[in-house]
């Protein structure tokens, strides 16, 4: 009954409608998608990773360049808009040579149980790079041999730490898996955040995709120096 508290967002650019200043460069893999909100109402605008251009927005939407987040002060149902995004992907081989920048709010953990820190170190003891460490924690949660399962009915614990209880009981839902992985990465000095959004949705006969509230999901994003935000999904397959 606590949930997430939103981190700070900065209005680097206001009333965005057009090219996103300071965003990733558009490339040959850029694609433009038309989004038609129906019952969606929020202060955050659904956009694709590495979005480079928005069109059709009403006034009041701001852009945080560092987080690549589009937001406003009050929730509304947006009118139809288009998003142009660079859909190119970075390979595992490229990420193996990547580094991260420690420090700052993306590596803050607050007060963390020592057991969680030690567990993160143990899981990543044999890794050499930030990408290896992220992969190790990802596989720790998704490998069936480790006993983690997906469930909306979460058992309670008595450790005094909801995070430690989750890691002990090994049962939970996507927000818990994402939060656990992100905080473990941060404890290792790897900048990470929990991203909340939607999966692809269901393809319709006309080729479009219908995205519903049941497609809502949470995952982890790690910020690499060159590749930028890279997604990792630690939730076990249902």
């Amino acid at each position: 009954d606590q949930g997430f508290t939103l981190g700070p967002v900065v209005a680097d650019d206001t009333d965005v409608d057009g090219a996103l200043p300071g965003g990733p460069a558009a490339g040959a893999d850029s694609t433009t998608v038309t989004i038609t909100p129906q019952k969606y109402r929020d202060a955050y605008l659904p956009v694709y990773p590495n979005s480079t251009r928005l069109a059709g927005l009403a006034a009041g939407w701001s852009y945080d360049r560092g987080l690549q987040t589009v937001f406003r002060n009050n929730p509304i149902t947006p009118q139809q808009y288009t998003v142009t995004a660079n859909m190119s992907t970075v390979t595992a081989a490229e990420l193996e040579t990547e580094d991260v920048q420690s420090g700052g709010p993306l590596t803050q953990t607050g007060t963390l149980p020592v057991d969680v820190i030690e567990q993160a170190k143990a899981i990543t003891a044999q890794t050499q790079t930030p990408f290896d460490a992220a992969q190790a924690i990802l596989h720790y949660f998704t490998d069936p041999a480790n006993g983690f399962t997906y469930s909306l009915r979460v058992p309670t614990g008595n450790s005094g730490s909801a995070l430690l209880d989750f890691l002990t009981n090994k049962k939970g839902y996507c927000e818990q898996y994402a939060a656990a992985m992100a905080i473990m990465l941060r404890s290792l000095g790897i900048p990470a955040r929990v991203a909340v959004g939607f999966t692809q949705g269901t393809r319709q006969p006309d080729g479009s995709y219908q995205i519903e509230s049941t497609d809502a999901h949470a995952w982890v994003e790690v910020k690499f120096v060159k590749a930028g935000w890279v997604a990792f999904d630690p939730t076990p397959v249902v």
Side-chain angles (χ1 to χ4, degrees), residues 50-73:
N50 297 319
S51 293
T52 59
R53 183 179 184 84
L54 299 174
L57 292 180
W61 291 101
S62 298
Y63 182 57
D64 184 316
R65 299 185 184 186
L67 296 178
Q68 294 185 12
T69 297
V70 183
F71 67 98
R72 62 185 300 116
N73 293 328

Side-chain angles (χ1 to χ4, degrees), residues 135-181:
Q135 287 288 84
I137 296 177
L138 176 78
H139 291 153
Y140 176 70
F141 288 122
T142 58
D143 186 343
N146 293 324
F148 284 93
T149 57
Y150 177 88
S151 177
L152 294 176
R153 299 177 63 86
V154 181
T156 57
N158 56 14
S159 72
S161 165
L163 175 59
L164 196 55
D165 289 340
F166 165 72
L167 293 173
T168 301
N169 293 324
K170 298 186 175 184
K171 180 180 291 187
Y173 43 87
C174 60
E175 291 95 336
Q176 292 177 293
Y177 282 100
M181 179 174 177

